[in-house]
Amino acid sequence: MADTMMGSGKAETLNRELGDFLRARRERLTPKAVGLPAGQRRRTAGLRREEVAELAGIGIDWYVRLEQGRNVRPSPAVVDALARALKLTKAEHSHLKALARPAPPGAFVREAVPDAVRRVVESLNQPAYVSGRRFDVLAWNTAADEIFGYSRVPEDERNTLLS
């Protein structure tokens, strides 16, 4: 059956893009650029994750989850704190906000009734119908049609909550 919600693939892509963006901005900064002492030699360029988390005032585990592209959404306050910690430009800050925003759900696609279920409903003598997740009437038998008149109602109006 078709799902009414956004596919998990799209959400995973957005999470990965958020993580990639945070990582790229972290790696381009030096400790000196954010007022931290240079300290010991670094294996990789840029700030450490824990330094970004501390500068933003958030937990290291939370920041790691964001950067790893896990399914977490930062609040607007956390997004603003990260933008300050990473010294983002206005355009980069706007981009970070867009990446952190929950993705809108995909367009609704009417559900389909498997042929086997449709045959069972149609074979019954008593009134029977199948409804979907949004209570749309998707299939019915002759007895149900005699009572409810589903065949005379436009498809987009066949809903048990609207009847």
Side-chain angles (χ1 to χ4, degrees), residues 50-120:
E50 56 269 17
E51 291 170 332
V52 174
E54 185 177 332
L55 289 168
I58 62 174
I60 179 65
D61 290 338
W62 178 249
Y63 180 77
V64 168
R65 287 172 190 242
L66 288 170
E67 199 173 285
Q68 288 177 342
R70 295 202 191 159
N71 192 20
V72 293
R73 289 284 158 216
S75 68
V78 169
V79 170
D80 293 343
L82 286 168
R84 283 189 302 276
L86 295 169
K87 304 284 189 197
L88 300 184
T89 66
K90 267 186 146 177
E92 290 170 331
H93 189 174
S94 293
H95 184 64
L96 180 60
K97 285 180 183 178
L99 291 174
R101 192 174 309 130
F108 174 73
V109 177
R110 184 171 283 280
E111 297 158 293
V113 177
D115 288 336
V117 173
R118 186 179 300 275
R119 284 192 301 273
V120 168

Side-chain angles (χ1 to χ4, degrees), residues 25-47:
R25 294 312 176 267
R26 174 179 60 81
E27 289 173 350
R28 76 175 186 187
L29 285 175
T30 63
K32 184 178 178 182
V34 295
L36 294 174
Q40 304 165 343
R41 196 176 128 202
R42 294 170 182 261
R43 290 181 290 176
T44 59
L47 296 178

